[in-house]
């Protein structure tokens, strides 16, 4: 009971219970619960978290009714002491003095990286928000007498935070274009940068939850408009994501990319590098196709059930996610220096670290779980196509 009551005072618990992402995921799991045991498991775990407050209230009411509530103030210190003693007993004895883990980067280097990420995030937010505005203007007719102020607001914001003169010339020229003058190709290319924006919000701990690639099948412009409305949030705090969590996100993206690229090769969307890659893709598709309990889910359907547009879109997002996280990981490990310039929104992957091919089919055995381990292997790279094929997946 002590652990249940302690749970109510943890910030992470309320972030999960009250977070929008938890309820969206629960609704998706509810729709798939009949045929997917992974969905049933997540749904049970979420329901258990939901009933904890009610159970604690009922337990306190029972104590009051029994008159036992009077001894609770005397029991709490005893429970706390026993819990503290149990934690000490769990530590194995050692004659070697404990050594503090040496951080890979100094505090000054971390803050420098964090400031650079915050500025890059704000720049991406402006570009993605402008893409959303331009897309809206393409679909809707503005009533006579109304004026669109996106361009003016974005320029003022960038100048206020000393980003206007330092941003890439290509992006500056795009922002200077009058409202409503972006073509659909430009809107699409810039809208793709919602993915690195989502990752930077996660890395800087503005968001503590990173949705899977399968949950990002539609472009979310709200995370960009949120930063445009409150840009100071980008520079608040001093935390960066830890490498363990970053590796988890990278591995999950790697698994999704491997599954989607295998499906694309099998269907003929991409040309395999060689016969071994084609055989690898065929083997992955044969093992996972139609398996409601193991195959990767895109939206509400399996990869094997998804349309060509959905497979291409998920492949693009997964590729961008793993490349960006590989680049960030190299920075946090001190393996790559931080450049002073900003990433051009349409070609940021040119600066991303490219993983080396491994070609080991065993590395994708856990694809169905969409989980992630701690390793740095690169599953499915043997199935990459000869050249990066350009495509325009839908949003």
């Amino acid at each position: 009971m002590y652990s249940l009551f302690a749970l109510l005072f943890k910030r992470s618990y309320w972030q999960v219970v009250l977070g929008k992402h938890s309820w969206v995921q629960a609704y998706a799991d509810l729709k798939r619960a009949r045929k997917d045991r992974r969905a049933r498991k997540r749904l049970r775990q979420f329901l258990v978290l939901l009933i904890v407050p009610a159970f604690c209230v009922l337990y306190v009411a029972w104590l009051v009714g029994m008159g036992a509530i009077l001894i609770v103030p005397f029991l709490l210190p005893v429970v706390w002491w026993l819990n503290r003693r149990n934690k000490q007993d769990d530590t194995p004895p050692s004659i070697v003095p404990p050594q503090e883990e040496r951080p890979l980067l100094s505090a000054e280097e971390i803050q420098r990286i964090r400031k650079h990420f915050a500025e890059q995030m704000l720049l991406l937010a402006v570009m993605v928000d402008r893409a959303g505005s331009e897309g809206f203007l393409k679909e809707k007719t503005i009533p006579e007498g109304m004026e669109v102020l996106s361009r003016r607001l974005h320029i003022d914001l960038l100048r206020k935070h000393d980003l206007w003169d330092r941003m890439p010339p290509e992006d500056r020229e795009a922002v200077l274009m009058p409202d409503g003058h972006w073509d659909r190709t430009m809107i699409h290319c810039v809208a793709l940068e919602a993915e690195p924006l989502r990752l930077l919000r996660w890395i800087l701990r503005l968001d503590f939850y990173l949705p899977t690639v399968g949950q990002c099948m539609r472009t979310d412009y709200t995370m960009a408009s949120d930063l445009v409305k409150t840009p100071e949030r980008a520079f608040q705090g001093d935390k960066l994501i830890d490498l363990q969590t970053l590796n988890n996100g990278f591995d999950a993206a790697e698994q999704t990319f491997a599954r989607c690229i295998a499906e694309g090769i099998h269907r003929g969307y991409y040309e395999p590098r060689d016969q071994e890659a084609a055989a690898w893709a065929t083997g992955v598709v044969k093992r996972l196709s139609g398996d409601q309990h193991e195959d990767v889910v895109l939206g509400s359907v399996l990869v094997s059930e998804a349309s060509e547009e959905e497979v291409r879109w998920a492949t693009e997002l997964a590729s961008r996610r793993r490349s960006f996280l590989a680049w960030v990981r190299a920075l946090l490990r001190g393996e790559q220096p931080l450049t002073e310039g900003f990433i051009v929104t349409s070609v940021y992957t040119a600066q991303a670290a490219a993983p080396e091919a491994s070609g080991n089919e065993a590395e994708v055995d856990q694809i169905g779980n969409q989980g992630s381990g701690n390793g740095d292997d690169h599953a499915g790279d043997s199935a990459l196509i000869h050249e990066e094929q350009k495509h325009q997946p839908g949003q």
Side-chain angles (χ1 to χ4, degrees):
M1 285 306 301
Y2 173 80
S3 59
L4 291 180
F5 280 98
L7 194 63
L8 299 179
F9 296 93
K10 291 184 178 179
R11 181 184 178 188
S12 57
Y13 168 78
W14 294 107
Q15 286 176 335
V16 172
V17 171
L18 301 179
K20 178 183 176 182
H21 63 270
S22 299
W23 292 93
V24 172
Q25 181 63 52
Y27 178 69
D29 289 337
L30 184 62
K31 293 193 294 185
R32 291 190 53 82
R34 180 178 57 84
K35 54 186 178 181
D36 189 343
R37 61 169 171 262
R38 295 169 300 179
R40 293 195 292 270
K41 180 180 178 181
R42 288 193 298 266
L43 200 57
R44 286 195 301 267
Q45 292 172 339
F46 185 59
L47 289 175
V48 168
L49 290 178
L50 288 180
I51 66 174
V52 167
F55 183 80
C56 291
V57 170
L58 291 175
Y59 184 73
V60 171
W62 177 79
L63 289 177
V64 172
M66 297 291 293
I69 192 67
L70 299 176
I71 66 172
V72 169
F74 301 98
L75 289 178
L76 287 179
V78 176
V79 172
W80 174 82
W81 180 78
L82 290 175
N83 186 62
R84 182 170 178 269
R85 184 176 179 181
N86 289 335
K87 288 183 179 180
Q88 293 176 344
D89 292 342
D90 289 339
T91 305
S94 174
I95 60 174
V96 180
Q99 297 182 356
E100 294 184 1
E101 184 177 354
R102 185 179 179 181
L104 298 176
L105 299 174
S106 66
E108 292 77 11
E109 290 173 319
I110 291 176
Q111 290 308 310
R112 178 168 168 263
I113 290 176
R114 197 186 190 288
K115 182 176 183 295
H116 184 82
F117 283 172
E119 293 178 333
Q120 178 68 67
M121 180 176 64
L122 188 56
L123 175 57
L124 286 172
V126 167
M127 298 301 295
V128 173
D129 190 58
R130 177 66 185 271
S133 174
E134 293 291 322
F136 177 82
L137 294 176
K138 284 285 187 292
E139 303 295 334
K140 304 293 182 180
T141 301
I142 303 299
E144 187 177 353
M146 293 189 63
E147 181 182 4
V148 180
L149 302 176
S150 297
R151 172 179 174 273
R152 186 185 306 170
L153 291 174
H154 292 157
I155 292 175
D156 291 343
L157 176 62
L158 292 170
R159 283 177 171 162
K160 178 181 178 181
H161 291 275
D162 193 28
L163 295 174
W164 179 252
D165 294 327
R166 296 189 292 141
M167 66 188 297
E170 299 92 331
D171 291 343
R172 186 163 51 246
E173 291 173 5
V175 174
L176 283 172
M177 293 176 65
D179 288 301
H181 281 63
W182 285 20
D183 58 35
R184 294 190 180 277
T185 300
M186 181 180 292
I187 294 172
H188 169 79
C189 290
V190 177
L192 284 172
E193 305 320 311
E195 181 58 27
L197 172 61
R198 178 185 295 110
L199 295 174
L200 283 172
R201 288 178 61 103
W202 180 60
I203 290 166
L204 294 176
R205 313 316 285 153
L206 269 70
D207 299 326
F208 286 84
Y209 174 78
L210 179 66
T212 64
V213 171
Q215 295 170 331
C216 303
M217 299 303 290
R218 296 182 62 86
T219 304
D220 180 12
Y221 293 103
T222 58
M223 57 185 176
S225 60
D226 171 61
L227 280 173
V228 170
K229 293 175 182 176
T230 55
E232 61 276 1
R233 291 190 62 205
F235 303 95
Q236 291 175 351
D238 56 358
K239 293 183 180 179
L240 270 179
I241 196 169
D242 60 274
L243 279 173
Q244 176 66 57
T245 306
L246 186 72
N247 282 331
N248 291 343
F250 175 85
D251 292 340
E254 186 83 323
Q255 293 171 1
T256 302
F257 175 76
R259 177 63 184 96
C260 291
I261 200 71
E263 186 72 24
I265 290 174
H266 181 72
R267 295 188 189 184
Y269 305 156
Y270 312 112
E271 181 184 355
R273 180 182 298 168
D274 48 37
Q275 290 299 319
E276 182 181 355
W280 170 86
T282 301
V284 171
V285 172
K286 182 178 180 181
R287 178 164 58 87
L288 294 175
S289 181
D291 191 335
Q292 296 289 344
H293 303 293
E294 296 294 334
D295 202 0
V296 172
V297 178
L298 301 180
S300 59
V301 299
L302 303 178
V303 171
S304 55
E305 301 170 341
S307 64
E308 176 181 352
E309 184 181 42
E310 290 171 326
V311 171
R312 286 185 179 274
W313 180 250
T315 304
E316 176 74 19
L317 288 183
S319 177
R320 285 170 175 262
R321 179 173 293 193
R322 70 176 195 150
S323 297
F324 193 85
L325 292 181
W327 174 64
V328 172
R329 183 171 59 183
L331 288 176
L332 297 183
R333 286 176 172 174
E335 300 170 351
Q336 182 170 321
L338 179 66
T339 56
E340 294 297 332
F342 291 107
I343 302 168
V344 181
T345 56
S346 58
V347 292
Y348 87 90
T349 48
Q351 293 191 25
E356 297 179 359
S358 62
N360 186 357
E361 183 178 350
E363 293 173 353
V364 295
D365 282 342
Q366 300 300 320
I367 282 179
N369 296 326
Q370 290 198 34
S372 41
N374 304 331
D376 299 335
D377 296 327
H378 308 296
D381 283 331
S382 62
L384 292 177
I385 52 180
H386 280 297
E387 296 179 355
E388 191 76 19
Q389 296 192 16
K390 304 296 181 184
H391 50 263
Q392 300 291 334
Q395 298 177 39

